[in-house]
Amino acid sequence: MAKKLTIALAGNPNSGKTTVFNALTGAHQHVGNYPGVTVEKKEGTLKYRDYEINVVDLPGTYSLTAYSIDEIVARNFVVEEKPDVIIDIVDASNLERNLYLATQFMELGVPLVIALNMSDLAERQGLKIDRDNLSALLGTPIVFTVATKRKGINELLDEAIRLVEGKVKLRRTTVSYGKEVQEEIRKIEETLIKDKRLIEKYPSRWLAVKLLENDSEVTKRIKESPYFDEISAAVERSVAHLKGIFGDEPENIIAEGRYGFISGVCSETVRRTYEIHHTISDRIDKVLINRILGLPIFLGLMWLVFKFTFKASEPLVGWVEALQEWLGNLLEGILPEGSAIQSLVVDGIVGGVGSVLTFVPIIFLLFLAMSVLEDSGYMARAAFVMDRLMHKIGLHGRSFIPMLLGFGCNLPAIMATRTIEDRRDRLVTILVNPFMSCGARLPVYTLFIGAFFAERMAGTILFSLYILGILVAILMAKIFRKYLFKGPAAPFVMELPPYRLPTLKGLLIHMWERGSVYLKKAGTIIFAGCVLVWFLSNFPWNPKYSKDYEVLIKQTEGNEEVVSQLENERAFEKLEKSYAGRLGRTIAPIFKPLGFNDWKISVGLFGGFIAKEIVVGTLGTLHSIGEADEESETLRQALQNEKRSDGSKLYNPLVAFSLMVFVLLYIPCVASIAVIKRETNSWKWPIFAAFYTTAVAWIVAFIVYQGGRFFGLGG
Ligand code: GDP
Ligand code: MG
């Protein structure tokens, strides 16, 4: 008995569908109508191998929206009748436009084979299509055909049968539409999956996309759902949110997403022997993703971002510093002199949390600049440019997006690796992500750069740290890929959405979303961390002093100078004898070969495990305690004057740089560790990450410091 098989032919008008249909079925055809509409339905049969195949010629369409009756008929046939295979006839000489329909079949999750028809024309036009790569990127079998000459027709049938028999081993892909839209799709899907009957019939993701697109047919279906109210409320919220951010209908954003996907696919798989460029985006891309210019342009733009951030935030930081000082003095006067509460509030909270808050303007401005690059569509290009480099280390550009996000904060960045389906790729990306310099390290850099480098160097030094982080990440990824997670990189599509002018609202929302994480952190974990550090550095409250200061001070009453000298000595001895002092002293020798053998910074680095900003918070607390004299100096000045036990200056530019390198690379913060645990679902990887990053940090800082000294830097 012959096995039965139904194949539906889909494709744009004039792609050669009818020609393929005729080549397949010959004279065995009949013409009818689709039920209820006057759209012609051509069907035919053929026997091939041990199959009896029924072929249906769907109406020619460019898309699968609900705007035209042809599209609705084609879509309903595919969804309701569930043919065994859909063959999408694509005009290979007009690939980008024709693949638009293919992306929608991919979204429907239907069994799909793509025929690159008119491949003779494509060749004559100088197009070279890398079929295997294209097939891997789309996740569908692809066959070159010339329907008019019957070329490739049997292969097409062979592929269809292989697909039905489950012999095709390709991973299906879909358009991602970017973080913002993705999130809304997920929210809508969450309401949709409550309606089990609906979900049995239609893929939830497809429904969600269609609802965002305001598809009238799907909306009609949803009206019958018992969960209609909930679903439509979610859709309305999402539509409003996306409109606010993009200043455009979600429908257009989604269409752009598909074109971006296709554009990315074609940039990787199609070579033209001569160029035809149409759109403005294409023209800009000719420069921005150019093989030679792409990388220098990316680096140049990043450098500008840091330059801008530093310059623009300078006056703002000054104001916040002044505010912090004013508040500290005010509270010091109000609270009882010499009490623990005065010390906690003034030194621990205003000194510690305040030092961290000084950097709020910088963080917000950096996020603002990054949002401009992201919302304009440039970041996607940066990922595309990096993709080529990433391939060399066995990863792909998709991994670069979480890395770029890591510049903001490693937590969302690590979570963003969920878009990477290959487990090995994902683990590598997670493990190297903490090297991407997040916003929390910025206060540390700013403090030390401000104190030890000339203003005109500031942007460049900062930039060099970010680049160092990227280089270390790339190097480690390569090592991991080679020894820990062997195997080829999975194919991925780098989407190239069209450029758009960012909306002010979108920029502000993005800046706020990321910046507020920092503020929230300052109010919670950093607050707690600073209180902890304050406690450690103030207790025991009354240590055993080497001299009886009380008596000595009483004896010298009246001699202001000697009294203040004694008070200073006492404060310092108290700090040295505190828990923090002892802890810092114990671990300080580890840092000796790195140039910062000092117990205060050791305590800071220890606190940095809670959150990297706490390095600054701790120094703020420790210095405001140690500073018992009237003339309060800023933390920056205090660091400039910090001395070693032999009286020489502790810091110089080389030591400061070595320290920043260490802070950049060492142990990810507690929250990152927790997220790595959650995302890898095991304790093995977070523990591994904590240790190997710290080892890498030590080694790199060692090389920087000792290398610098070798070349006579750092005096
Ligand atoms: P449909 O609108 O998709 O049904 O397209 P048709 O099958 O009617 O084909 C449109 C035109 O393209 C016809 O003139 C075909 O002869 C021609 N055609 C179809 N396939 C090929 C092909 O592979 N190569 C070339 N050069 N022409 C083709
Ligand atoms: Mg036709």
Side-chain angles (χ1 to χ4, degrees):
M1 250 273 292
K3 289 177 263 182
K4 285 200 190 302
L5 192 64
T6 305
I7 295 178
L9 294 183
N12 291 14
N14 279 319
S15 59
K17 232 159 26 64
T18 305
T19 317
V20 172
F21 182 74
N22 289 339
L24 284 170
T25 58
H28 306 277
Q29 328 183 335
H30 57 94
V31 180
N33 269 341
Y34 286 94
V37 288
T38 55
V39 176
E40 196 177 77
K41 181 185 189 185
K42 274 209 293 194
E43 282 184 274
T45 53
L46 74 145
K47 290 208 169 71
Y48 185 76
R49 294 186 0 206
D50 49 350
Y51 282 90
E52 202 179 297
I53 303 175
N54 180 31
V55 187
V56 179
D57 190 19
L58 297 176
T61 60
Y62 293 104
S63 177
L64 288 181
T65 55
Y67 286 123
S68 81
I69 188 72
D70 282 356
E71 295 184 21
I72 294 177
V73 165
R75 184 165 106 181
N76 284 350
F77 184 83
V78 168
V79 177
E80 315 277 338
E81 310 283 325
K82 298 200 190 306
D84 299 296
V85 182
I86 288 127
I87 296 181
D88 183 8
I89 314 291
V90 162
D91 176 355
S93 67
N94 197 356
L95 194 58
E96 300 216 7
R97 178 164 195 200
N98 276 250
L99 282 179
Y100 192 81
L101 182 64
T103 59
Q104 301 189 43
F105 283 120
M106 286 159 62
E107 201 142 68
L108 264 172
V110 292
L112 184 68
V113 173
I114 292 177
L116 290 182
N117 195 36
M118 313 237 185
S119 49
D120 54 335
L121 276 184
E123 207 168 304
R124 226 175 300 152
Q125 288 178 6
L127 293 173
K128 283 210 164 33
I129 300 170
D130 178 349
R131 186 192 61 176
D132 293 344
N133 197 6
L134 184 60
S135 167
L137 290 177
L138 298 180
T140 59
I142 293 176
V143 180
F144 283 117
T145 60
V146 183
T148 41
K149 298 195 179 122
R150 276 201 61 93
K151 257 171 84 177
I153 296 297
N154 285 352
E155 287 89 328
L156 206 50
L157 288 170
D158 290 336
E159 282 301 333
I161 289 170
R162 265 167 50 81
L163 189 65
V164 171
E165 291 178 347
K167 290 180 181 154
V168 173
K169 294 274 172 288
L170 286 167
R171 202 171 38 80
R172 289 305 290 269
T173 48
T174 47
V175 183
S176 81
Y177 300 115
K179 180 165 64 76
E180 212 66 66
V181 179
Q182 191 82 351
E183 182 58 23
E184 301 310 315
I185 292 177
R186 193 189 57 74
K187 283 185 196 156
I188 296 173
E189 269 188 278
E190 262 171 25
T191 61
L192 285 168
I193 51 176
K194 293 185 181 160
D195 189 344
K196 297 268 179 329
R197 274 180 46 211
L198 188 69
I199 289 313
E200 260 166 36
K201 198 151 183 195
Y202 308 93
S204 59
R205 186 183 152 88
W206 180 77
L207 286 175
V209 171
K210 285 291 149 195
L211 287 169
L212 279 177
E213 281 184 302
N214 194 18
D215 183 290
S216 57
E217 284 283 303
V218 171
T219 312
K220 234 189 278 168
R221 298 263 160 176
I222 299 297
K223 285 215 176 90
E224 295 156 16
S225 167
Y227 299 91
F228 170 72
D229 290 339
E230 211 174 317
I231 296 170
S232 62
V235 172
E236 263 169 45
R237 262 198 310 274
S238 294
V239 168
H241 177 73
L242 292 176
K243 264 191 193 167
I245 284 182
F246 293 102
D248 200 349
E249 297 293 332
E251 202 182 336
N252 298 337
I253 313 295
I254 285 171
E256 280 183 357
R258 292 192 187 118
Y259 280 118
F261 175 88
I262 293 166
S263 179
V265 167
C266 291
S267 302
E268 291 210 20
T269 57
V270 183
R271 293 270 161 279
R272 290 173 202 274
T273 35
Y274 58 89
E275 302 271 345
I276 343 164
H277 278 291
H278 308 286
T279 64
I280 298 173
S281 276
D282 282 342
R283 253 180 248 153
I284 301 176
D285 276 346
K286 232 184 135 175
V287 180
L288 290 190
I289 63 174
N290 182 287
R291 276 183 182 272
I292 299 154
L293 294 176
L295 193 59
I297 289 176
F298 168 60
L299 294 177
L301 279 173
M302 292 310 287
W303 183 81
L304 276 179
V305 163
F306 294 123
K307 196 89 187 148
F308 159 80
T309 306
F310 248 91
K311 264 262 164 283
S313 62
E314 217 170 319
L316 300 175
V317 171
W319 294 342
V320 183
E321 263 174 357
L323 186 72
Q324 182 202 1
E325 206 179 314
W326 173 81
L327 191 66
N329 289 337
L330 180 79
L331 290 170
E332 191 169 10
I334 293 173
L335 296 164
E337 181 67 32
S339 66
I341 186 77
Q342 186 201 37
S343 166
L344 172 65
V345 171
V346 176
D347 304 334
I349 297 170
V350 179
V353 182
S355 303
V356 173
L357 284 180
T358 328
F359 299 95
V360 165
I362 299 185
I363 305 257
F364 272 77
L365 284 172
L366 178 67
F367 287 150
L368 181 68
M370 296 289 254
S371 299
V372 172
L373 293 185
E374 221 176 303
D375 292 6
S376 64
Y378 177 73
M379 276 307 185
R381 269 73 190 178
F384 190 88
V385 167
M386 289 306 288
D387 191 50
R388 291 182 204 126
L389 273 184
M390 304 289 277
H391 277 304
K392 295 207 173 81
I393 58 167
L395 287 175
H396 40 69
R398 259 298 159 94
S399 299
F400 193 68
I401 296 170
M403 299 234 196
L404 280 176
L405 288 178
F407 282 154
C409 173
N410 297 127
L411 307 188
I414 290 168
M415 288 192 260
T417 61
R418 286 182 198 166
T419 57
I420 305 172
E421 284 164 46
D422 186 87
R423 193 183 145 271
R424 288 166 311 188
D425 285 347
R426 185 162 178 231
L427 271 175
V428 172
T429 312
I430 288 177
L431 286 178
V432 302
N433 198 286
F435 292 133
M436 306 315 283
S437 194
C438 69
R441 280 107 153 174
L442 205 51
V444 185
Y445 305 152
T446 320
L447 177 64
F448 282 89
I449 292 176
F452 300 102
F453 292 91
E455 202 193 305
R456 64 188 166 78
M457 293 286 292
T460 313
I461 295 286
L462 187 60
F463 176 67
S464 72
L465 285 162
Y466 277 75
I467 295 299
L468 180 71
I470 297 175
L471 290 180
V472 172
I474 287 177
L475 183 73
M476 288 316 295
K478 193 164 175 97
I479 292 174
F480 287 150
R481 212 63 175 78
K482 197 156 178 194
Y483 299 104
L484 219 53
F485 310 100
K486 290 181 207 133
F492 257 119
V493 177
M494 300 303 308
E495 279 138 24
L496 289 179
Y499 292 97
R500 44 165 67 239
L501 205 61
T503 65
L504 186 63
K505 192 171 167 198
L507 290 181
L508 292 179
I509 289 177
H510 284 146
M511 176 180 83
W512 176 252
E513 268 175 1
R514 293 170 186 170
S516 60
V517 173
Y518 185 79
L519 282 180
K520 226 182 273 162
K521 228 162 91 183
T524 53
I525 191 159
I526 293 172
F527 184 90
C530 286
V531 170
L532 177 73
V533 169
W534 172 83
F535 172 81
L536 289 176
S537 45
N538 273 285
F539 285 85
W541 187 249
N542 269 318
K544 240 184 150 34
Y545 289 112
S546 58
K547 303 177 197 164
D548 195 341
Y549 288 104
E550 288 293 316
V551 176
L552 286 172
I553 287 173
K554 270 222 178 70
Q555 282 170 359
T556 50
E557 197 119 43
N559 189 340
E560 284 290 330
E561 211 170 294
V562 181
V563 169
S564 116
Q565 169 87 26
L566 282 168
E567 275 174 349
N568 247 342
E569 261 179 54
R570 178 173 62 181
F572 198 76
E573 195 179 333
K574 176 174 169 178
L575 198 49
E576 275 187 315
K577 292 201 161 142
S578 69
Y579 300 121
R582 282 182 247 167
L583 174 78
R585 217 171 287 282
T586 316
I587 58 174
I590 303 173
F591 304 118
K592 189 164 186 205
L594 313 183
F596 40 94
N597 172 21
D598 168 57
W599 69 269
K600 284 185 196 159
I601 189 67
S602 305
V603 179
L605 290 172
F606 190 79
F609 172 54
I610 303 170
K612 299 234 165 162
E613 300 95 327
I614 291 186
V615 175
V616 170
T618 305
L619 290 176
T621 305
L622 294 182
H623 281 281
S624 44
I625 296 169
E627 157 211 304
D629 51 354
E630 291 302 297
E631 248 172 84
S632 96
E633 46 183 6
T634 64
L635 181 52
R636 204 183 281 191
Q637 290 162 334
L639 289 174
Q640 284 164 345
N641 297 328
E642 187 87 83
K643 299 216 173 35
R644 292 204 185 97
S645 46
D646 64 7
S648 63
K649 286 242 161 103
L650 172 63
Y651 294 106
N652 57 45
L654 180 63
V655 174
F657 193 72
S658 162
L659 175 66
M660 289 189 283
V661 167
F662 189 82
V663 170
L664 162 69
L665 301 174
Y666 88 127
I667 197 165
C669 67
V670 166
S672 300
I673 296 279
V675 170
I676 296 177
K677 152 81 176 59
R678 201 177 71 203
E679 296 295 311
T680 60
N681 205 10
S682 104
W683 274 112
K684 185 166 98 187
W685 297 117
I687 291 171
F688 175 71
F691 280 97
Y692 101 87
T693 51
T694 309
V696 166
W698 197 92
I699 293 168
V700 179
F702 181 84
I703 295 171
V704 165
Y705 180 64
Q706 299 297 344
R709 278 180 26 134
F710 181 78
F711 289 108
L713 297 173

